[in-house]
Amino acid sequence: MRSIFLAIQWFFENIMFIPQNFFRQLELSSWTGANIVNWIFMIICAVATVYWCKQLTLHHASGEDDQDTTAHSFLK
């Protein structure tokens, strides 16, 4: 039973953590290079937020959103 857990440990430490080990070594020479993945995710989230707000504005302007408080039967 112990060998199964040792195999899982070996798999994660030697195979799955290769990208993390690469970024850990890269951080010693270039902080920006090591954090490029974080910057990419932040840019994607910023673009998605702007797109979402733009879509909300379009739906509000066209009158598609129902803001009636009696939209649900239990609120009557």
Side-chain angles (χ1 to χ4, degrees), residues 16-67:
M16 296 299 290
F17 288 157
I18 289 174
Q20 284 85 359
N21 292 334
F22 170 73
F23 286 122
R24 183 171 22 137
Q25 293 299 321
L26 183 63
E27 185 180 19
L28 299 175
S29 61
S30 171
W31 179 87
T32 306
N35 289 300
I36 194 72
V37 175
N38 294 333
W39 287 104
I40 290 170
F41 283 141
M42 286 193 297
I43 290 169
I44 290 171
C45 288
V47 169
T49 302
V50 168
Y51 175 77
W52 180 47
C53 289
K54 206 173 188 184
Q55 290 297 317
L56 285 174
T57 304
L58 289 174
H59 284 288
H60 182 70
S62 67
E64 290 181 33
D65 53 346
D66 184 18
Q67 297 199 2

Side-chain angles (χ1 to χ4, degrees), residues 66-73 75:
D66 184 18
Q67 297 199 2
D68 185 17
T69 56
T70 60
H72 299 289
S73 62
L75 292 175

